[in-house]
Structure formats: C-alpha cells, structure tokens
C-alpha cells in the first residue's frame, strides 16, 4: 500500500519515487513478497496463480457451476405439462442462455402410456419470447408441434425488411399463451426443497437426482394422459450457498 501525506492531488513522480524506495528497501531486507515485482510496486504475473485459476475453472465446469451477476450459480431448464407436472430437466451453468437449451429440453420428454412406446411429442408448446428464434421454430415445424411463442419486438422489423422472404407474421393462441405460468408454479413447488433452491450438492448428478426425485413425488397422483398434451418451458436460476 502506498500512502501520501498530501490530501487531494498527489504528484505521480512522488508516488513513483516512494514506490521505488519502498520496493528497494523491502528487496534489500529479503522480503519474499516482493518476488516478481517491478520498480513501480506492481506484481508480475505468477504462473502458479494462473494454474490455480485454471483448476478452479475446471472444477466449476465439472460441477455445472457458472458465473453470473450473483456469483456462482446454476440454471435448471424444465418442461412442464398443462397440469404443472415436470416432464424433463436440464442442468447448465448460470450464465447459459435459455434458447440454446430449448431443443435439448424437449428431446428429453418421455410420457409413458398404458401400452406402446412413451410419447415424446407434445401437441402445443408455450414459452416466453426468449425462445423465439428461427432455429427453435424450424425444429417445432419439423416435429409437427404447434408453437405458442410470441415473437420478439426486435425480430419484427428484420422480418418486415425481408419482405416475402421473411415469412408471415407469427400467430399464436392467446389463451394457451396465458397458461405458460404453470412452469413457474412448478418451480415454486420444487424450490420448497431448500437443497434444490440453493443447491447444496456440489456434484451435478446429485443435484439432478434431487430434481428428478422431487418431480417424481409431484407425479405420484395419477393424471390422465390427455391432460398432459401441452408443455411449457422455462429456466430459473439456482445458486449455491
């Protein structure tokens, strides 16, 4: 720490001279903390510190943790049916985007029936504007799934500028779009488990197991398959403590 006795403005030359004197005195005394420092008092990059940062970053990635505005956090992407029961979970770091995980979440949907293979294709999909992208809409059209997703405001001028090539205006069912809050109600029930709300589990497999266990408990009540044809998608954050 460099201190100057004059309040307000401080001469840069005086600061540099005082830093050089302190550094020279500490070096003459054999202070190990001055190793790798220059005459201005700044510390040179330490290769050991860089290795420590790389190891910390690797451990965070292995644990499924990422950096967001709140610090270390993880994000849970989920698909929920019309009755509020979870259909699939995807765990990603906290800074991961919502739209890139849209197809991954839908690909994990499995609704078992009395006979035959489980259903993997819901009829409509209700989601927020964050999931409105050409890739997601093309994916839904390819699978013959009705998209109940409102178009982003900044996407409308781009579509109109392209003319007929940009395609028709996006239409959606307003009544079904209002029902997308069922996924938020599902997460409200899931977060009643304190370990899931704040993620005390370091291993991502243990945390994902808790998510599936909570979803299984919610799904114990029998629900007709006809009522589970609609799905909603969302992804709130869960930060560790």
């Amino acid at each position: 720490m460099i201190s100057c006795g004059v309040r307000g403005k401080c001469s840069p030359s005086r600061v540099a001279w005082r830093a050089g004197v302190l550094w020279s005195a500490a070096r003459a005394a054999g202070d190990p903390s001055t190793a790798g420092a220059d005459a201005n008092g700044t510390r040179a990059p330490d290769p050991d510190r860089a290795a420590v940062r790389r190891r910390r970053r690797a451990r965070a990635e292995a644990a499924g943790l990422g950096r967001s505005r709140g610090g270390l956090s993880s994000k849970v992407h989920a698909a929920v049916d019309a009755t509020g029961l979870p259909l699939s979970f995807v765990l990603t770091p906290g800074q991961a985007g919502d739209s890139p995980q849209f197809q991954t979440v839908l690909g994990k949907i499995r609704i078992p029936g009395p006979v035959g293979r489980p259903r993997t294709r819901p009829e409509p999909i209700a989601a927020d504007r964050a999931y409105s992208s050409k890739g997601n809409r093309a994916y839904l059209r390819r699978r013959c799934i009705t998209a109940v997703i409102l178009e982003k405001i900044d996407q409308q001028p781009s579509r109109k500028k392209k003319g007929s090539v940009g395609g028709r205006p996006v239409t959606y069912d307003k009544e079904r779009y209002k029902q997308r809050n069922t996924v938020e109600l599902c997460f409200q029930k899931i977060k009643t488990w304190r370990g899931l709300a704040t993620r005390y589990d370091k291993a991502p497999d243990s945390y994902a197991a808790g998510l599936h266990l909570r979803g299984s408990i919610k799904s114990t009540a029998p629900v007709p398959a006809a009522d589970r044809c609609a799905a909603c998608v969302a992804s709130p954050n869960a930060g560790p403590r």
Side-chain angles (χ1 to χ4, degrees), residues 163-183:
S164 59
V165 181
R168 299 179 179 178
V170 176
T171 58
Y172 64 97
D173 190 344
K174 295 184 178 180
E175 295 301 325
R176 285 182 174 176
Y177 188 73
K178 295 177 182 179
Q179 300 175 2
R180 71 188 189 281
N181 64 337
T182 54
V183 68

Side-chain angles (χ1 to χ4, degrees), residues 5-238:
V6 181
R7 292 187 179 181
K9 295 183 179 181
C10 186
S11 174
S13 60
R14 183 176 180 181
V15 173
W17 173 82
R18 186 172 180 83
V21 171
L22 293 176
W23 178 80
S24 301
R27 187 177 182 182
D31 189 357
S33 62
T34 59
D38 57 10
N40 293 327
T42 58
R43 183 177 295 275
D46 190 356
D48 295 337
R49 292 188 177 183
V52 170
R53 287 195 295 268
R54 287 194 297 268
R55 287 195 297 269
R56 289 178 179 176
R57 190 180 301 110
R59 287 197 297 266
E61 292 177 357
L65 296 174
R67 290 282 181 179
S68 60
R69 290 180 295 179
L72 289 174
S73 63
S74 59
K75 183 178 291 186
V76 179
H77 308 260
V80 179
D81 64 2
T83 60
L85 299 180
L87 303 178
S88 63
F89 293 107
V90 174
L91 183 64
T92 61
Q95 78 277 6
D98 298 343
S99 184
Q101 305 299 327
F102 181 77
Q103 301 180 19
T104 305
V105 173
L106 296 184
K108 290 189 174 183
I109 293 179
R110 298 290 187 275
I111 304 178
V115 293
R117 294 178 297 178
R119 292 187 57 183
T120 60
R121 188 187 64 178
E123 294 178 0
I125 289 290
D128 293 333
R129 295 173 184 260
Y131 299 94
S132 177
S133 65
K134 288 186 176 180
N136 292 339
R137 294 185 184 276
Y139 172 79
L140 296 178
R141 285 194 300 267
R142 186 167 60 252
R143 295 191 59 185
C144 300
I145 301 176
T146 304
V148 188
I149 305 175
L150 191 61
E151 187 180 18
K152 290 184 178 181
I153 298 178
D154 57 351
Q155 292 178 350
Q156 297 176 3
S158 177
R159 175 180 52 79
K160 295 178 180 179
K161 187 183 299 183
K162 295 180 181 179
S164 59
V165 181
R168 299 179 179 178
V170 176
T171 58
Y172 64 97
D173 190 344
K174 295 184 178 180
E175 295 301 325
R176 285 182 174 176
Y177 188 73
K178 295 177 182 179
Q179 300 175 2
R180 71 188 189 281
N181 64 337
T182 54
V183 68
E184 304 297 339
L185 299 178
C186 177
F187 275 114
Q188 182 181 4
K189 298 295 184 180
I190 291 176
K191 287 186 176 181
T192 56
W193 283 26
R194 190 175 180 183
L196 297 179
T198 55
R199 185 173 173 177
Y200 291 101
D201 298 308
K202 181 177 180 180
D205 296 337
S206 300
Y207 185 73
L211 288 173
H212 287 86
L213 178 60
R214 186 69 179 96
S216 300
I217 293 176
K218 284 180 58 63
S219 303
T220 51
V223 179
D227 295 339
R228 307 185 66 180
C229 59
C232 303
V233 183
S235 54
N237 289 337

